[in-house]
C-alpha cells in the first residue's frame, strides 16, 4: 500500500488495508486459510463440487478431487470468486482453488460426508507431517 499517495480514494485505501498479506510462495497454513476463505466466498461452486462428488459416489465409483476441480473449472455454472491478497512486497495476487489444493478439498468433503468413497493419500497438509510453521 502506498501511504505517501494522498490522491488515492478512501475506498481504495480501505480495500488495501483489508487484504491479507502472505509470503509468496504460500506457506501451508496460509494456503489453508485462503482455501477456507475461498470456500466462504464460493458456496454455490462448493455445493456443485459436493453434489458431483455425491453423484459419483452413488454410482459406486471412487471420487477424484482433481476431477472435481477440473469439472468445476470448465463446466461449473458459477462464476468463481478469487481471494485477493498481497505478498510481502505489496504486490497483489488472487488465490483460486487449484490442483495443489486437492488434499484440502478431499478432507473438506470427508468432513461433510465421512462415508464418501474418496482415497486420502499422505499430504503435506496432514498435521503429523506438517513441520512448517
Amino acid at each position: 500500500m502506498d501511504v505517501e499517495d494522498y490522491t488515492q480514494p478512501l475506498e481504495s485505501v480501505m480495500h488495501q488495508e483489508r487484504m491479507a498479506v502472505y509470503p509468496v510462495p504460500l506457506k501451508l497454513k496460509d494456503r489453508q486459510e485462503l482455501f477456507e476463505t475461498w470456500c466462504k466466498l464460493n458456496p454455490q461452486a462448493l455445493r456443485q463440487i459436493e453434489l458431483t462428488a455425491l453423484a459419483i459416489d452413488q454410482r459406486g465409483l471412487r471420487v477424484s478431487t482433481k476431477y472435481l476441480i477440473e469439472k468445476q473449472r470448465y463446466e461449473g455454472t458459477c462464476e468463481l470468486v478469487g481471494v485477493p491478497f498481497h505478498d510481502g512486497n505489496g504486490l497483489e495476487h488472487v488465490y483460486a482453488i487449484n490442483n495443489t489444493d486437492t488434499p484440502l478439498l478431499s478432507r473438506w468433503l470427508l468432513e461433510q460426508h465421512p462415508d464418501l468413497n474418496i482415497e486420502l493419500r499422505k499430504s503435506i497438509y496432514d498435521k503429523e507431517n506438517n513441520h512448517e510453521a
Side-chain angles (χ1 to χ4, degrees), residues 86-125:
H86 282 110
D87 64 18
N89 296 321
L91 296 175
E92 187 173 337
H93 300 269
V94 177
Y95 168 84
I97 192 170
N98 62 41
N99 288 344
T100 303
D101 303 317
T102 57
L104 295 172
L105 183 59
S106 300
R107 282 145 183 82
W108 182 87
L109 285 165
L110 280 174
E111 283 178 18
Q112 311 307 308
H113 307 280
D115 296 332
L116 194 64
N117 182 10
I118 190 167
E119 181 180 346
L120 284 185
R121 297 182 180 153
K122 284 188 178 183
S123 163
I124 57 176
Y125 295 104

Side-chain angles (χ1 to χ4, degrees), residues 9 33 58 80 102 105:
E33 286 177 18
Q58 195 70 15
L80 301 177
T102 57
L105 183 59

Side-chain angles (χ1 to χ4, degrees), residues 6-131:
Y6 297 106
T7 63
Q8 296 180 81
L10 179 59
E11 293 81 16
S12 174
V13 174
M14 290 171 53
H15 173 73
Q16 290 179 33
E17 286 179 345
R18 276 187 253 130
M19 288 181 68
V21 175
Y22 295 104
V24 174
L26 293 169
K27 295 183 184 251
L28 295 178
K29 66 177 181 63
D30 298 335
R31 187 169 281 282
Q32 289 170 313
E33 286 177 18
L34 289 167
F35 175 78
E36 289 174 15
T37 304
W38 184 90
C39 289
K40 290 175 187 169
L41 293 176
N42 294 281
Q44 297 90 357
L46 202 56
R47 183 67 177 151
Q48 285 181 358
I49 290 171
E50 183 180 11
L51 291 174
T52 302
L54 291 171
I56 291 169
D57 182 65
Q58 195 70 15
R59 292 175 48 208
L61 301 171
R62 185 173 17 181
V63 176
S64 164
T65 50
K66 284 190 185 208
Y67 170 76
L68 295 173
I69 290 172
E70 294 299 330
K71 181 167 177 53
Q72 185 61 38
R73 183 178 294 141
Y74 295 110
E75 298 176 13
T77 59
C78 302
E79 186 172 334
L80 301 177
V81 178
V83 181
F85 69 95
H86 282 110
D87 64 18
N89 296 321
L91 296 175
E92 187 173 337
H93 300 269
V94 177
Y95 168 84
I97 192 170
N98 62 41
N99 288 344
T100 303
D101 303 317
T102 57
L104 295 172
L105 183 59
S106 300
R107 282 145 183 82
W108 182 87
L109 285 165
L110 280 174
E111 283 178 18
Q112 311 307 308
H113 307 280
D115 296 332
L116 194 64
N117 182 10
I118 190 167
E119 181 180 346
L120 284 185
R121 297 182 180 153
K122 284 188 178 183
S123 163
I124 57 176
Y125 295 104
D126 293 334
K127 290 186 184 346
E128 62 270 5
N129 296 330
N130 186 353
H131 300 291

